Amino acid sequence: MLQMRPGCECCDKDLPPDASNARICTFECTFCADCADSRLGGKCPNCGGELVTRPRRPAEKLGKYPASVERVYKPRGCEAAGVS
């Protein structure tokens, strides 16, 4: 099941489960649309994969299938990708 992490790995912006501005790669690395589009050029700095819009989990399913509370914040990963 999709982990749905709660924040952007680059800027730590909150990304709740219903966020339309969350982007993920196939490894579920998570970024906000601003970082994904402007800073990263649509490419994950961790694996090089494509960043796409994260699906939103229906509110009625969040009780049984909650989003992750694990926050991953790795701004150095964005810096290493040539962005800051």
Side-chain angles (χ1 to χ4, degrees):
M1 179 169 311
L2 188 63
Q3 201 175 39
M4 299 187 75
R5 295 177 186 159
C8 176
E9 290 187 25
C10 281
C11 70
D12 206 31
K13 180 178 187 171
D14 288 337
L15 296 169
D18 63 348
S20 62
N21 65 332
R23 304 290 183 265
I24 60 170
C25 71
T26 61
F27 291 98
E28 298 182 49
C29 301
T30 304
F31 304 92
C32 69
D34 290 338
C35 288
D37 299 340
S38 301
R39 300 172 72 191
L40 302 174
K43 188 175 179 182
C44 179
N46 302 317
C47 69
E50 177 184 21
L51 294 172
V52 299
T53 302
R54 181 180 73 187
R56 290 173 278 185
R57 189 164 296 153
E60 64 273 6
K61 301 290 184 186
L62 285 170
K64 187 173 181 180
Y65 306 104
S68 175
V69 295
E70 177 189 354
R71 197 165 198 99
V72 178
Y73 180 51
K74 300 189 297 186
R76 288 185 158 271
C78 292
E79 293 167 11
V83 295
S84 55

